[in-house]
Short mmCIF file of all heavy atoms in Angstrom, two decimals:
data_model
loop_
_atom_site.label_atom_id
_atom_site.label_comp_id
_atom_site.label_asym_id
_atom_site.label_seq_id
_atom_site.Cartn_x
_atom_site.Cartn_y
_atom_site.Cartn_z
N ALA A 333 -5.19 -10.74 7.21
CA ALA A 333 -4.04 -11.22 6.25
C ALA A 333 -3.29 -10.14 5.67
O ALA A 333 -2.13 -10.34 5.57
CB ALA A 333 -5.00 -11.88 5.09
N LEU A 335 -2.40 -7.27 7.20
CA LEU A 335 -1.44 -6.85 8.37
C LEU A 335 -0.46 -7.92 8.53
O LEU A 335 0.71 -7.66 8.72
CB LEU A 335 -2.29 -6.49 9.59
CG LEU A 335 -3.13 -5.20 9.54
CD1 LEU A 335 -3.91 -5.10 10.78
CD2 LEU A 335 -2.25 -4.01 9.37
N GLY A 337 0.70 -10.07 6.49
CA GLY A 337 1.54 -10.09 5.32
C GLY A 337 2.64 -8.95 5.49
O GLY A 337 3.81 -9.13 5.20
N GLN A 341 6.53 -9.71 6.01
CA GLN A 341 7.55 -9.07 4.98
C GLN A 341 8.45 -7.93 5.35
O GLN A 341 9.56 -7.96 4.96
CB GLN A 341 6.69 -8.66 3.72
CG GLN A 341 7.61 -8.39 2.47
CD GLN A 341 6.80 -8.11 1.25
OE1 GLN A 341 5.56 -8.19 1.25
NE2 GLN A 341 7.41 -7.95 0.13
N ALA A 345 12.90 -5.27 8.43
CA ALA A 345 13.36 -3.98 7.72
C ALA A 345 12.90 -2.70 8.59
O ALA A 345 13.64 -1.75 8.66
CB ALA A 345 12.69 -3.94 6.31
N MET A 371 3.73 1.22 16.35
CA MET A 371 3.49 1.46 14.95
C MET A 371 2.39 0.46 14.46
O MET A 371 1.43 0.73 13.78
CB MET A 371 4.79 1.41 14.09
CG MET A 371 4.52 1.46 12.60
SD MET A 371 5.80 0.78 11.61
CE MET A 371 5.63 -0.94 12.10
N ASP A 380 -8.07 0.42 7.54
CA ASP A 380 -8.76 0.83 6.30
C ASP A 380 -7.89 1.86 5.49
O ASP A 380 -7.78 1.72 4.28
CB ASP A 380 -10.14 1.33 6.66
CG ASP A 380 -11.05 0.24 7.17
OD1 ASP A 380 -10.86 -0.93 6.72
OD2 ASP A 380 -11.86 0.63 8.04
N LEU A 382 -4.65 2.36 5.75
CA LEU A 382 -3.44 1.73 5.41
C LEU A 382 -3.62 0.87 4.14
O LEU A 382 -2.84 0.87 3.25
CB LEU A 382 -2.86 0.91 6.53
CG LEU A 382 -1.64 0.11 6.35
CD1 LEU A 382 -0.43 1.11 5.95
CD2 LEU A 382 -1.25 -0.60 7.59
N MET A 383 -4.86 0.05 4.09
CA MET A 383 -5.07 -0.70 2.98
C MET A 383 -5.26 0.11 1.66
O MET A 383 -5.01 -0.36 0.67
CB MET A 383 -6.26 -1.67 3.31
CG MET A 383 -5.85 -2.82 4.25
SD MET A 383 -7.30 -3.82 4.70
CE MET A 383 -7.49 -4.82 3.28
N ALA A 390 5.53 2.90 3.13
CA ALA A 390 5.82 4.21 3.37
C ALA A 390 4.92 4.85 4.55
O ALA A 390 5.45 5.65 5.26
CB ALA A 390 5.58 5.13 2.06
N LEU A 392 3.73 3.07 6.98
CA LEU A 392 4.37 2.45 8.23
C LEU A 392 5.62 3.29 8.58
O LEU A 392 5.89 3.54 9.91
CB LEU A 392 4.53 0.98 8.10
CG LEU A 392 3.39 0.15 7.89
CD1 LEU A 392 3.79 -1.27 7.57
CD2 LEU A 392 2.55 0.11 9.27
N LEU A 399 6.80 8.35 15.70
CA LEU A 399 6.96 7.86 16.99
C LEU A 399 8.32 8.07 17.48
O LEU A 399 8.55 8.48 18.80
CB LEU A 399 6.47 6.41 17.03
CG LEU A 399 5.10 6.06 16.80
CD1 LEU A 399 4.89 4.61 16.45
CD2 LEU A 399 4.21 6.41 18.10
N LEU A 433 26.85 10.46 31.86
CA LEU A 433 25.65 9.70 31.25
C LEU A 433 25.96 9.03 30.00
O LEU A 433 25.57 7.87 29.65
CB LEU A 433 24.52 10.77 30.91
CG LEU A 433 23.86 11.34 32.30
CD1 LEU A 433 22.92 12.48 31.93
CD2 LEU A 433 23.12 10.26 32.95
N GLU A 434 26.77 9.65 29.08
CA GLU A 434 27.15 9.02 27.82
C GLU A 434 28.04 7.78 28.08
O GLU A 434 27.88 6.78 27.31
CB GLU A 434 27.84 10.09 26.95
CG GLU A 434 26.99 11.01 26.29
CD GLU A 434 25.85 10.56 25.47
OE1 GLU A 434 26.21 9.57 24.64
OE2 GLU A 434 24.80 11.00 25.54
N GLU A 447 24.12 -10.77 19.86
CA GLU A 447 22.64 -10.77 19.73
C GLU A 447 22.04 -9.75 18.71
O GLU A 447 21.16 -10.07 18.03
CB GLU A 447 22.03 -10.38 21.09
CG GLU A 447 22.18 -11.44 22.14
CD GLU A 447 21.74 -10.93 23.49
OE1 GLU A 447 21.28 -9.88 23.69
OE2 GLU A 447 21.81 -11.80 24.45
N PRO A 450 22.55 -10.10 13.90
CA PRO A 450 21.62 -10.53 12.97
C PRO A 450 20.65 -9.40 12.45
O PRO A 450 20.14 -9.38 11.43
CB PRO A 450 20.73 -11.69 13.65
CG PRO A 450 21.69 -12.18 14.68
CD PRO A 450 22.48 -11.06 15.17
N PRO A 455 22.64 -11.52 6.01
CA PRO A 455 23.15 -12.97 6.28
C PRO A 455 24.58 -13.33 5.87
O PRO A 455 25.29 -14.04 6.65
CB PRO A 455 22.10 -13.85 5.48
CG PRO A 455 20.94 -13.04 5.34
CD PRO A 455 21.41 -11.59 5.30
N GLN A 458 26.76 -11.63 8.43
CA GLN A 458 26.67 -12.46 9.76
C GLN A 458 27.61 -13.61 9.65
O GLN A 458 28.33 -13.84 10.68
CB GLN A 458 25.19 -12.85 9.93
CG GLN A 458 25.06 -13.84 11.03
CD GLN A 458 24.96 -13.10 12.36
OE1 GLN A 458 24.42 -12.07 12.35
NE2 GLN A 458 25.55 -13.72 13.38
N PHE A 461 31.15 -12.27 9.89
CA PHE A 461 31.38 -11.85 11.24
C PHE A 461 31.79 -13.03 12.11
O PHE A 461 32.70 -13.06 12.82
CB PHE A 461 30.04 -11.13 11.80
CG PHE A 461 30.15 -10.77 13.27
CD1 PHE A 461 30.94 -9.59 13.66
CD2 PHE A 461 29.64 -11.48 14.16
CE1 PHE A 461 30.91 -9.21 14.89
CE2 PHE A 461 29.67 -11.09 15.46
CZ PHE A 461 30.41 -9.97 15.89
N ASP A 462 30.81 -14.05 12.07
CA ASP A 462 31.09 -15.30 12.88
C ASP A 462 32.41 -15.98 12.71
O ASP A 462 33.22 -16.16 13.59
CB ASP A 462 29.99 -16.27 12.81
CG ASP A 462 28.68 -15.76 13.25
OD1 ASP A 462 28.65 -14.85 14.13
OD2 ASP A 462 27.62 -16.42 12.96
N LEU A 469 39.17 -16.98 12.38
CA LEU A 469 39.80 -17.27 11.08
C LEU A 469 40.47 -16.15 10.35
O LEU A 469 39.93 -14.93 10.56
CB LEU A 469 38.64 -17.92 10.19
CG LEU A 469 37.98 -19.14 10.71
CD1 LEU A 469 36.82 -19.58 9.66
CD2 LEU A 469 38.86 -20.30 10.99
N GLU A 472 42.03 -15.15 4.55
CA GLU A 472 42.13 -16.17 3.60
C GLU A 472 41.33 -17.41 3.90
O GLU A 472 40.71 -18.08 3.10
CB GLU A 472 43.59 -16.59 3.35
CG GLU A 472 44.45 -15.35 2.65
CD GLU A 472 44.78 -14.28 3.54
OE1 GLU A 472 44.72 -14.41 4.89
OE2 GLU A 472 45.00 -13.08 3.05
N ILE A 492 31.25 -4.46 7.78
CA ILE A 492 30.80 -4.93 9.20
C ILE A 492 31.30 -3.94 10.28
O ILE A 492 30.57 -3.53 11.11
CB ILE A 492 31.26 -6.35 9.45
CG1 ILE A 492 30.49 -7.42 8.42
CG2 ILE A 492 30.99 -6.82 10.83
CD1 ILE A 492 31.07 -8.75 8.36
N ILE A 501 30.43 0.42 20.96
CA ILE A 501 31.67 1.10 21.19
C ILE A 501 32.81 0.31 20.57
O ILE A 501 32.77 -0.90 20.52
CB ILE A 501 32.03 1.17 22.66
CG1 ILE A 501 31.90 0.00 23.42
CG2 ILE A 501 31.06 2.28 23.19
CD1 ILE A 501 32.37 0.02 24.81
#
Side-chain angles (χ1 to χ4, degrees):
L335 290 171
Q341 191 170 1
M371 175 205 62
D380 294 327
L382 182 59
M383 289 177 75
L392 292 172
L399 289 166
L433 288 171
E434 287 297 319
E447 289 171 1
Q458 173 80 34
F461 175 83
D462 289 345
L469 300 179
E472 290 73 23
I492 290 167
I501 54 174

